[in-house]
Amino acid sequence: MATLLQPEKVLYLVRGEKKIRVPLSQLYFCRYCSELRSLECVSHEVDSHFCPSCLENMPSAEAKLKKNRCANCFDCPCCMHTLSTRATNIPAPLPDDPTKTTMKKAYYLACGFCRWTSRDVGMADKSVASGGWQEPENPHTQRINKLIEYYQQLAQREKLERDRKKLARRRPFMPQAFSEKYGLGTRLQRQRSGAPISALYGLSLKEGEDQKEITIEPAQALDEVEPLPEDYYTRPVNLPEVTTLRQRLLQPDFQPAGASQLHPRHKHLLMKRSLRCRKCEHNLSKPEFNPTSIKFKIQLVAVSYIPEVRIMSIPNLNYAVYLTFYILENITHVSLYTCEEEDPDDINSTAKVLVPSKELVLAGKDAAAEYDELAEPQGFQDDPDVVAFRKSNKIGFFIKVIPQREEGDVTVAFKLRHDFRNLAAPIRPTEEGEATSEAIWLTHHVELSLGPLAT
Amino acid sequence: MADPNAKQTGQKSVKIVAGAVVCVESDIRGDVTIGARTVVHPKARIIAEAGPIVIGDGNLIEEQALIINSYPENMLPDAEDVEPKTMSIGINNVFEVGCVSQALKIGDNNVIESKAEVGRNVILTSGCIVGACCAVNTCEVIPENTVIYGSECLRRVQTERPQPQTLQLDFLMKILPNYHHLKKTVKASSTPARS
């Protein structure tokens, strides 16, 4: 359906730190700042972790401990599909009577897509359905853990020193303990877009505890390298046995070169994230906590607040465009303006556009009207030269495009101005008892790409 | 269409060995021999245009599967005498829903998954699995225990061949006669030799 609507042809300009041009379906609208926000000018926060196949929720601390992998589900090392557990009956001797055999259930992992089974790599069948499968142990784990501990300690020490220096400059009377609480908080760090938040900072400093000095041996460089086997250049390659780069790099611990060493790994967890406007710190998008629910607690998407422009059809030079508006409110007034001559936002357009100069009036979205066959005619007077059709919350109008160049793609830009009633703002109690919300006029810069010129 | 040149081989009609379950709604044309314990679902099509088809025992041919021994594309049916080549299919194969098989030689224990296409010049040995929607139109012999999967028809070798679907076959042989009429079987004295 997204390809039918072709949202990439209509781009809205977002005036954030960088000027980004994005389709409206990918934008959010902060109704407190009354501005469009794109994914790059909001801060992303992790809400919860869950496994995509068993949909099990996992608290963040547990997720960190398990390296963001699910405990129950496995990924096929060959095609990255989810593995399923299958059972077979194998004859096994009874514990009491070794001569008689009885059927016991044995479980193995199998992929439904590429038919990989755990027997292919030599993993024995387990007698329990879940929990029996172990990932192979990385031989370098101990060394890596030791290195991490050493560097954690180093980072804490450096942070202390930095705080000490800063406090020495500002207020020499402040005790050191305050720096931990009022120092560089995570909130301030977040506001700097793109600033990497060091994972080591999140560790708690256990003050007052004697910290052992952790020493590590530096890595030793070897002079002699193991020689290659003699038939390395002459041995024919067994292609089905060689792993692809993708299969190899999905297991960075081992990076096996042979397919018979590809062990299954636990499945990666996915996360639900919430978005927050950087300027006013309000939440723009907050999903439900339950992994099985796709709804949102807070969903301030731009499509619900800003009229959306869609290209309807492209006959020769007259272009039909239509405008849809998805808010459940009442009437909205939309007017369009062409960009002025020296508009700094207008860098991409290769054609001039003539938009209707009158104001267009749009009705709000009425959810009940969809199912009501005898829709009452809305009492709007439309100029047939300007308006092609009108249907509940949609209106179609014509624009004329005059290409400026002889060949290439035709791109036009114009400004869309509409009124926005902010219902989130607290309504001041008026004496008449009437709840009027003030209408703000917002202007957006819209670019349409209409395709190449016919030669 | 019943090939009028089939009188060269001496058999014009379908020969179903006792023990096979072939539904009436299936479309079988030409010189076809179906072995014992084979189940042919309704709406399956087995068409022997350019030569006979010999199907072994224990095969499972599901709905809308098409097994066709047709003329190569660039030849007219009435052109110079074309030797009718026999298409032979071994035992315990599975032709899943909607697959198209034109391969002249299929061994044992193969699985052709749904909507897969196997061309005329492919020879499937045993234990091969052609994945869903994979089209194999090359001119080669697929080695044993090969799995072809994915949108790019990647290949890998598995260590064991797919299990024969005995449970499924038993179940179908019990249930299908309750709901469908079956084609008449012919008491064969010996199974026809595979070419």
Side-chain angles (χ1 to χ4, degrees):
Chain A
M1 195 56 195
T3 46
L4 275 182
L5 295 176
Q6 290 185 324
E8 271 72 34
K9 302 241 175 188
V10 180
L11 301 175
Y12 282 68
L13 177 72
V14 177
R15 291 185 187 87
E17 291 160 2
K18 301 182 249 182
K19 296 208 170 163
I20 307 169
R21 287 168 168 79
V22 179
L24 194 69
S25 46
Q26 295 171 14
L27 289 176
Y28 296 86
F29 181 71
C30 181
R31 59 183 182 180
Y32 306 94
C33 312
S34 298
E35 273 177 18
L36 280 176
R37 296 267 176 253
S38 76
L39 278 177
E40 298 205 14
C41 28
V42 294
S43 59
H44 302 238
E45 297 163 6
V46 172
D47 240 9
S48 60
H49 299 269
F50 67 98
C51 170
S53 69
C54 61
L55 290 180
E56 181 201 341
N57 214 329
M58 207 181 278
S60 311
E62 196 185 335
K64 208 170 174 180
L65 199 62
K66 296 201 179 143
K67 312 233 188 233
N68 289 333
R69 288 185 188 264
C70 177
N72 306 326
C73 309
F74 286 90
D75 268 347
C76 173
C78 187
C79 65
M80 297 96 204
H81 194 59
T82 312
L83 288 177
S84 52
T85 312
R86 299 223 187 122
T88 55
N89 283 324
I90 51 164
L94 273 175
D96 306 330
D97 197 350
T99 51
K100 287 197 206 149
T101 57
T102 177
M103 303 303 279
K104 229 173 45 157
K105 276 204 179 288
Y107 299 94
Y108 62 97
L109 294 170
C111 172
F113 187 62
C114 68
R115 309 261 179 158
W116 180 92
T117 61
S118 57
R119 294 171 179 165
D120 281 352
V121 285
M123 291 169 73
D125 297 349
K126 303 278 184 272
S127 48
V128 272
S130 60
W133 304 99
Q134 302 292 333
E135 273 189 23
E137 181 75 29
N138 186 359
H140 305 292
T141 325
Q142 276 203 352
R143 168 91 177 146
I144 293 178
N145 283 343
K146 221 167 167 216
L147 283 172
I148 291 180
E149 275 179 25
Y150 175 70
Y151 281 109
Q152 275 172 8
Q153 207 193 37
L154 202 59
Q156 284 171 6
R157 225 182 285 160
E158 284 182 2
K159 187 170 167 227
L160 261 184
E161 284 183 18
R162 207 180 310 162
D163 286 340
R164 219 177 290 152
K165 273 191 226 162
K166 270 200 181 155
L167 293 175
R169 269 185 273 140
R170 287 192 214 158
R171 304 178 205 182
F173 309 112
M174 278 281 246
Q176 267 192 22
F178 269 47
S179 73
E180 283 302 310
K181 293 175 198 164
Y182 299 134
L184 280 179
T186 46
R187 191 60 79 74
L188 289 170
Q189 275 187 357
R190 237 191 286 128
Q191 283 209 349
R192 277 181 284 133
S193 63
I197 301 177
S198 164
L200 302 173
Y201 270 27
L203 300 167
S204 59
L205 176 66
K206 292 182 195 139
E207 294 199 30
E209 226 181 75
D210 290 334
Q211 294 174 15
K212 315 182 277 188
E213 279 291 325
I214 305 178
T215 52
I216 48 166
E217 309 135 13
Q220 290 171 349
L222 293 172
D223 248 351
E224 287 180 7
V225 184
E226 232 179 67
L228 286 176
E230 278 179 6
D231 59 349
Y232 196 72
Y233 293 108
T234 51
R235 186 180 49 203
V237 174
N238 182 11
L239 260 186
E241 176 66 14
V242 177
T243 51
T244 67
L245 263 187
R246 185 144 187 249
Q247 290 167 355
R248 221 179 276 192
L249 295 176
L250 272 179
Q251 308 201 6
D253 304 353
F254 305 99
Q255 295 186 28
S260 49
Q261 286 138 27
L262 276 178
H263 287 267
R265 303 228 37 196
H266 285 283
K267 206 166 178 59
H268 250 303
L269 297 177
L270 295 182
M271 64 158 182
K272 288 200 173 202
R273 67 170 173 195
S274 57
L275 301 171
R276 195 184 282 271
C277 174
R278 286 214 180 107
K279 292 204 185 123
C280 62
E281 299 290 333
H282 278 104
N283 254 327
L284 293 180
S285 160
K286 197 169 167 74
E288 291 265 351
F289 186 71
N290 193 358
T292 54
S293 159
I294 57 168
K295 297 192 184 175
F296 287 85
K297 284 184 197 157
I298 302 174
Q299 191 184 19
L300 298 178
V301 281
V303 180
S304 314
Y305 293 94
I306 316 274
E308 188 187 354
V309 179
R310 287 187 203 161
I311 302 178
M312 187 155 132
S313 61
I314 309 185
N316 300 325
L317 267 187
N318 269 4
Y319 287 76
V321 173
Y322 72 102
L323 202 60
T324 77
F325 189 49
Y326 279 106
I327 210 172
L328 294 152
E329 296 314 312
N330 299 328
I331 305 175
T332 301
H333 303 267
V334 176
S335 47
L336 303 153
Y337 299 101
T338 48
C339 292
E340 285 143 36
E341 281 296 317
E342 299 293 328
D343 196 342
D345 295 331
D346 188 14
I347 48 175
N348 279 339
S349 64
T350 59
K352 269 204 268 194
V353 62
L354 300 170
V355 289
S357 48
K358 289 192 209 158
E359 205 176 59
L360 303 166
V361 182
L362 277 177
K365 180 169 175 71
D366 191 3
E370 269 182 71
Y371 305 102
D372 190 8
E373 284 161 11
L374 306 167
E376 292 168 13
Q378 297 152 332
F380 296 107
Q381 306 295 327
D382 290 329
D383 185 358
D385 281 340
V386 167
V387 174
F389 69 90
R390 174 187 287 277
K391 185 178 170 194
S392 65
N393 63 332
K394 300 190 178 105
I395 186 171
F397 59 94
F398 295 104
I399 61 173
K400 295 198 175 75
V401 173
I402 305 165
Q404 301 287 306
R405 302 195 195 149
E406 289 184 354
E407 52 180 29
D409 287 343
V410 175
T411 323
V412 296
F414 56 88
K415 303 256 190 257
L416 177 79
R417 187 163 173 262
H418 70 103
D419 62 346
F420 162 64
R421 284 191 173 73
N422 190 0
L423 300 163
I427 301 171
R428 279 164 281 147
T430 57
E431 273 143 19
E432 299 93 64
E434 214 180 55
T436 51
S437 40
E438 304 189 343
I440 315 172
W441 287 89
L442 300 171
T443 309
H444 306 286
H445 178 91
V446 182
E447 287 185 6
L448 304 175
S449 78
L450 299 167
L453 275 175
T455 46
Chain B
M1 2 248 120
D3 194 352
N5 296 331
K7 50 179 165 290
Q8 293 168 1
T9 52
Q11 182 180 333
K12 281 187 235 173
S13 60
V14 179
K15 185 163 159 208
I16 304 177
V17 171
V21 173
V22 180
C23 298
V24 159
E25 293 90 348
S26 63
D27 181 12
I28 308 186
R29 297 182 231 157
D31 176 5
V32 178
T33 310
I34 299 183
R37 299 199 74 233
T38 296
V39 175
V40 179
H41 283 241
K43 294 300 177 191
R45 289 186 296 157
I46 307 177
I47 300 176
E49 262 182 354
I53 297 182
V54 175
I55 301 181
D57 303 340
N59 293 305
L60 176 57
I61 304 172
E62 295 189 355
E63 287 87 346
Q64 299 194 359
L66 171 61
I67 302 177
I68 180 167
N69 185 357
S70 65
Y71 296 104
E73 281 169 11
N74 49 0
M75 295 173 90
L76 293 171
D78 296 324
E80 323 90 41
D81 25 16
V82 182
E83 266 198 34
K85 291 193 198 161
T86 308
M87 176 188 281
S88 62
I89 297 178
I91 60 177
N92 290 332
N93 296 303
V94 177
F95 296 85
E96 288 193 11
V97 174
C99 68
V100 175
S101 165
Q102 300 186 7
L104 280 178
K105 203 162 175 333
I106 298 182
D108 311 329
N109 289 311
N110 299 302
V111 176
I112 303 186
E113 287 189 6
S114 305
K115 296 219 173 193
E117 288 181 12
V118 182
R120 190 173 169 83
N121 297 317
V122 178
I123 297 180
L124 293 176
T125 47
S126 34
C128 303
I129 301 184
V130 181
C133 275
C134 292
V136 186
N137 287 320
T138 51
C139 178
E140 63 171 312
V141 176
I142 311 262
E144 289 197 8
N145 291 340
T146 307
V147 179
I148 302 178
Y149 66 97
S151 54
E152 293 155 19
C153 292
L154 303 167
R155 296 190 186 188
R156 52 172 288 272
V157 177
Q158 53 179 17
T159 48
E160 52 184 31
R161 55 182 193 194
Q163 296 163 340
Q165 302 276 351
T166 28
L167 277 179
Q168 174 83 341
L169 283 174
D170 287 339
F171 177 73
L172 285 171
M173 289 172 75
K174 257 190 289 170
I175 294 283
L176 272 180
N178 291 344
Y179 297 96
H180 295 277
H181 292 286
L182 304 177
K183 290 201 176 166
K184 280 221 165 75
T185 62
V186 168
K187 282 214 175 83
S189 50
S190 62
T191 49
R194 244 188 278 156
S195 60

